[in-house]
Amino acid sequence: MRSRSEPLVELAVHAADDSTEVFVADGKFRRIADGVGRIEVSVVPGLYAVRFRAGSEQVDRLIEVTGDDPRPQVYGEPVRFEAAAPIEHTATTREFHAGPAQDLSMATPLRRGDGGSDLFIFSRDLDPKSRTRPWTGVEVLDLNGERVARLKDGETNSDDAFGALHLSVVPGDYRIRVETGDVGTYEMFVHTAVGWQTQVFLLAEDFWSEGSKVRRPALKNASVFMRRAGLGFQADDEQIRLTELARQGLVSGREVVRRGELNDMLWMKYENPMIAIFAAHLLLLRPPVNHEMIERVARNLHRLVGDHPDVLALHLRRGVRTPPADIAVPAPPKLRLSWDNVSRATRRRGGLVP
């Protein structure tokens, strides 16, 4: 028990970004405070453990709080979490991937239709010595299943183990397919919009079937961004890092962004709509839900990126009694939370999904 004579010290702990979780434990490793981005806690002088967590990675530090400074400040370094995109200060970034990704995302695209939208896919393997061809078995299909292009139609590099495909396409929904052979075929859906470049980053991993393995890009951990046409991918862009951490927070169901920062993220959509989509879905996990704000964000996003399935799903969120009559969802969304919204809404309006 703390003596009444012991002075309290106001300890402030700052993470390197607003989506890193922060925990403080006392000398007996009992958690005394937690938060996201930055926390303040009153403590007595002594030893404390501070943990910074981003994605699935964490960094622990032991600190000593003395009575000499009444308001000590602790600053954390960026946590090097794993990501499919070669984002700066992550565990999975590689210079020989980040540079080409930036250059090729701004190179002249292969034309596969007029309409002013771009699709950029970058698939890589972290270990070039594996001799993997991370473009093998990857192709882009339209919504009806007709092939648009294969990843190998773009730029491939065996030495640095990456493949990149930059397409100019008609705005709409597309399927990215990965064929693994005996393990099966996997697909994900992506949306493109006029004036935007949809960016999809993939990492190769081993797929196993009856004791044999094949190495292919994994769709389940794909990083997906949307950037204004011509801006391309920027490995050091703070919004890119926040977008990926918000996506991973949705995957894990953890509160990775403070509500204040989430509100700010909702209005970053003009530079990267995906960050607003992830932020809106994170807010839906935190009651009470401000339905008026979510609806306003959904309408604004709709004007920016069209019938993006994950934006349409915001209109179908829990708490909306009647699905809008003029909405149909032509393609599966990316987020499982979006799919839950859509499937639940079909109980009230069966024609919602064509």
Side-chain angles (χ1 to χ4, degrees), residues 2 38 106-107 136-137 211 220 242 320:
R2 180 175 64 88
R38 179 179 184 274
M106 292 187 285
T136 302
K220 62 180 181 180
L242 287 175
V320 176

Side-chain angles (χ1 to χ4, degrees), residues 31 62 75 80 83 105 117 121 124 208 213 258 288 337:
R31 185 183 300 182
L62 189 64
Y75 294 90
R80 299 175 68 84
S105 66
S117 74
I121 304 173
R124 62 197 182 110
W208 291 86
K213 72 174 181 178
R258 293 197 303 261
L337 290 171

Side-chain angles (χ1 to χ4, degrees), residues 13-333:
V13 182
H14 308 260
D17 55 61
D18 291 331
S19 291
T20 294
E21 300 167 86
V22 183
F23 307 89
V24 177
D26 63 16
K28 295 183 179 180
F29 298 102
R30 295 173 300 194
R31 185 183 300 182
I32 60 174
D34 59 73
V36 181
R38 179 179 184 274
I39 60 174
E40 293 185 358
V41 57
S42 298
V43 299
V44 297
L47 292 176
Y48 292 87
V50 176
R51 170 169 292 175
F52 301 96
R53 183 169 68 186
S56 60
E57 302 299 318
Q58 60 191 35
V59 174
D60 295 330
R61 285 176 57 183
L62 189 64
I63 63 171
E64 181 179 8
V65 176
T66 68
D68 299 333
D69 185 353
R71 298 186 64 84
Q73 310 286 316
V74 176
Y75 294 90
E77 296 293 326
V79 177
R80 299 175 68 84
F81 61 93
E82 295 185 355
I87 303 169
E88 191 174 80
H89 301 308
T90 59
T92 46
T93 191
R94 300 291 187 273
E95 276 297 321
F96 52 80
H97 291 154
Q102 293 180 176
D103 294 341
L104 295 171
S105 66
M106 292 187 285
T108 302
L110 299 176
R111 187 166 296 279
R112 290 295 186 270
D114 295 322
S117 74
D118 282 8
L119 175 61
F120 177 68
I121 304 173
F122 193 91
S123 179
R124 62 197 182 110
D125 196 316
L126 295 181
D127 182 11
K129 295 180 180 179
S130 69
R131 299 302 176 189
T132 299
R133 296 174 177 263
W135 55 86
T136 302
V138 184
E139 57 185 351
V140 179
L141 312 174
D142 65 17
L143 201 55
N144 295 320
E146 296 295 324
R147 179 189 291 163
V148 176
R150 294 171 295 188
L151 188 51
K152 68 178 183 180
D153 296 335
E155 184 84 12
T156 62
N157 187 312
S158 298
D159 292 333
D160 292 334
F162 72 79
L165 178 65
H166 186 187
L167 299 175
S168 174
V169 294
V170 175
D173 297 291
Y174 293 87
R175 299 153 63 172
I176 298 177
R177 173 179 291 175
V178 176
E179 177 60 61
T180 67
D182 292 340
V183 181
T185 301
Y186 296 86
E187 290 188 357
M188 67 178 288
F189 289 76
V190 294
H191 182 82
T192 69
V194 176
W196 296 92
Q197 182 186 76
T198 298
Q199 303 171 350
V200 182
F201 290 86
L202 307 173
L203 267 182
E205 67 176 45
D206 292 332
F207 290 78
W208 291 86
S209 176
E210 298 180 355
S212 62
K213 72 174 181 178
V214 60
R215 196 162 176 84
R216 292 288 188 273
L219 299 177
K220 62 180 181 180
N221 295 320
S223 299
V224 180
F225 313 115
M226 293 186 76
R227 297 277 287 166
R228 290 284 187 185
L231 294 182
F233 171 74
Q234 300 295 327
D236 61 351
D237 188 336
E238 182 62 24
Q239 284 194 25
I240 293 292
R241 182 181 177 90
L242 287 175
T243 303
E244 177 62 16
L245 283 173
R247 183 196 70 82
Q248 294 193 23
L250 282 171
V251 170
S252 63
R254 298 204 312 266
E255 186 169 326
V256 297
V257 185
R258 293 197 303 261
R259 185 174 287 271
E261 275 67 36
L262 273 176
N263 292 338
D264 292 341
M265 288 165 68
L266 289 173
W267 309 113
M268 291 181 184
K269 60 187 178 296
Y270 299 107
E271 296 299 329
N272 189 345
M274 290 307 300
I275 199 171
I277 291 172
F278 294 150
H281 282 279
L282 281 169
L283 279 176
L284 291 178
L285 298 178
R286 304 181 186 182
V289 175
N290 185 335
H291 286 287
E292 182 180 349
M293 180 177 68
I294 296 294
E295 190 63 30
R296 188 167 67 251
V297 168
R299 288 197 300 268
N300 289 339
L301 282 169
H302 204 163
R303 284 193 290 268
L304 280 175
V305 299
D307 288 336
H308 192 300
D310 290 289
V311 174
L312 296 177
L314 291 174
H315 293 294
L316 306 173
R317 64 194 179 278
R318 188 186 297 275
V320 176
R321 293 185 177 180
T322 304
D326 59 342
I327 285 184
V329 185

